[in-house]
Amino acid sequence: MSFSGFPSSKIKAIALLSGGLDSTIAAALIKRAGIDTVGFTVHHLFGGDCKRTPQIKAAASAVGIRLIIRDLSEGQLEVVRRPRYGYGAGMNPCIDCRIFMLKAAKQVMAEEGAQFVVTGEVLGQRPMSQHYRALMQAAEESGLEDLLLRPLSANLLPDTLPVKEGWLEREDLLSLCGRGRREQMALAEELGIVDYPSPGGGCILVEKAYSARLRDAFAHHGKDAVGVNEFLLLRYGRHFRLSDRIKVIVGRDEAENEALCNLAPGRILIEPLGVMGPTTLIEGDPVDDELGLAAALAARYCDHSDDSHVSFRLLRPGAGEETAGETIIATPLSADDPRISSWRISP
Ligand code: SF4
């Protein structure tokens, strides 16, 4: 490690953390080289599960660095609505998303009086966002240029300011390339990093089912009308589009039923009475026939004998949880009713 220029102990870096192994190692390498390293992440809507923030906190604590968390959901939604560089296999706008995160890191860098930004990107690891041109483009478009250091592949990329200034030596940095993880795992051991999550499993925008629901929401509501609440709702339940105006969301288990209850404001909620069955939300302004159809669909997923009816408690938007609501009775659709698969929003 070098101490030419000005002492590396006075140099500060902002390390983007994702909770995964690569970004954790990248931060640990920079800290080991004597740079004052601060972790940074955004709380965002697209994490595949709710363990992401605890994972990132655990990563920062494993490296022994402070962590800054920002909620930039609105900005991220705008990236998903109108990505300049388009989508990947799903609705994942990876190039724009990376640029967005780097711009956010640049802002934090300025606020913290730091000199550069560090990421765990590895050249060639992801086809859309981590090939050479995409890495260079992200550095340029984020405005970070040579203040963006990717320690894991730095020795395969053009020199950045930390190397040019002598804050870091090339031997502090690596030449990793491609999708393999053997070297990262060995490094993790060397750096004392244990208990890291497996790769992938991160972003719901790459999932086919979620992407199909998001495309449907954009098509029927318009991109600007799909906000944080709608993005959240797309995560839960079976989604059925009964018509251009009406969508029905049927919970699949207890956890989803609870999530749907929390997302009920502004929507019609129906719950079965006297039998086990899903919580169901209805979007739009259904006429009685449509309401009956939605209840018949929900009844198909309730415990019932073949010839029975199912009663539901119905709460309209604005009705309090404590109110009795209305009661509607539905005859369940049969499991092989072809309308069920034609309504289902699926890839
Ligand atoms: S996988 Fe998701 S979170 Fe990661 S860069 Fe792509 S869009 Fe962003």
Side-chain angles (χ1 to χ4, degrees):
M1 112 189 45
S2 167
F3 291 90
S4 62
F6 56 111
S8 59
S9 59
K10 291 216 170 119
I11 301 295
K12 194 173 190 181
I14 302 299
L16 264 169
L17 292 180
S18 69
L21 181 58
D22 292 344
S23 62
T24 310
I25 292 177
L29 284 172
I30 298 308
K31 186 179 177 235
R32 184 171 76 173
I35 305 287
D36 179 8
T37 308
V38 177
F40 169 59
T41 191
V42 299
H43 161 77
H44 74 82
L45 290 166
F46 316 126
D49 56 43
C50 52
K51 297 189 202 114
R52 191 172 173 273
T53 303
Q55 273 170 5
I56 295 173
K57 286 183 178 166
S61 126
V63 180
I65 57 175
R66 180 162 65 90
L67 176 65
I68 296 171
I69 305 178
R70 294 269 158 89
D71 184 346
L72 303 175
S73 299
E74 270 307 327
Q76 285 184 312
L77 293 192
E78 192 48 33
V79 167
V80 182
R81 291 184 191 116
R82 295 178 184 85
R84 190 165 158 211
Y85 295 101
Y87 299 106
M91 289 293 278
N92 50 309
C94 290
I95 296 174
D96 296 82
C97 181
R98 292 304 298 169
I99 293 169
F100 176 83
M101 298 281 272
L102 291 172
K103 282 182 175 169
K106 182 170 180 256
Q107 172 75 28
V108 172
M109 180 183 85
E111 289 166 15
E112 286 282 316
Q115 281 71 41
F116 65 102
V117 167
V118 173
T119 73
E121 290 162 303
V122 173
L123 181 64
Q125 190 181 65
R126 293 188 188 192
M128 187 173 178
S129 60
Q130 292 185 15
H131 56 85
Y132 186 88
R133 209 162 54 81
L135 292 181
M136 294 302 106
Q137 183 183 36
E140 194 184 316
E141 293 213 15
S142 63
L144 280 165
E145 310 265 0
D146 70 350
L147 304 182
L148 175 56
L149 177 70
R150 282 98 171 196
L152 303 188
S153 294
N155 292 338
L156 302 172
L157 299 169
D159 271 347
T160 53
L161 197 72
V163 172
K164 288 182 207 160
E165 288 290 326
W167 304 334
L168 291 162
E169 293 282 7
R170 279 201 168 270
E171 55 264 33
D172 296 323
L173 307 168
L174 306 176
S175 309
L176 301 187
C177 181
R179 301 174 77 98
R181 288 182 35 101
R182 226 171 355 159
E183 283 159 293
Q184 282 98 316
M185 286 158 100
L187 257 169
E189 204 175 323
E190 189 188 319
L191 291 161
I193 297 164
V194 289
D195 198 21
Y196 44 83
S198 52
C203 177
I204 50 173
L205 294 172
V206 302
E207 291 175 10
K208 283 186 182 168
Y210 188 89
S211 295
R213 295 170 188 180
L214 183 54
R215 280 189 205 100
D216 172 85
F218 279 169
H220 288 89
H221 303 299
K223 291 186 173 183
D224 290 322
V226 181
V228 173
N229 182 284
E230 287 73 23
F231 268 86
L232 277 177
L233 180 57
L234 295 177
R235 283 171 173 265
Y236 305 108
R238 308 169 182 90
H239 287 235
F240 300 93
R241 177 150 300 284
L242 267 53
S243 71
D244 268 350
R245 294 180 304 104
I246 308 297
K247 191 167 93 168
V248 179
I249 303 113
V250 183
R252 288 174 291 198
D253 55 37
E254 216 176 309
E256 287 199 339
N257 289 345
E258 197 180 323
L260 293 184
C261 274
N262 292 333
L263 290 162
R267 304 176 172 98
I268 294 174
L269 178 142
I270 61 173
E271 285 175 319
L273 292 168
V275 293
M276 296 292 286
T279 297
T280 297
L281 297 182
I282 304 166
E283 287 189 332
D285 187 13
V287 296
D288 285 351
D289 283 356
E290 291 167 326
L291 215 44
L293 214 46
L297 175 62
R300 175 255 176 275
Y301 296 99
C302 293
D303 284 345
H304 62 86
S305 52
D306 282 349
D307 53 356
S308 65
H309 301 298
V310 178
S311 299
F312 291 91
R313 171 186 180 231
L314 181 148
L315 289 179
R316 295 190 186 267
E321 234 325 274
E322 64 290 347
T323 61
E326 302 159 43
T327 301
I328 56 168
I329 299 171
T331 305
L333 295 182
S334 80
D336 56 6
D337 189 317
R339 289 176 294 179
I340 297 178
S341 54
S342 71
W343 290 331
R344 185 100 186 223
I345 301 169
S346 57

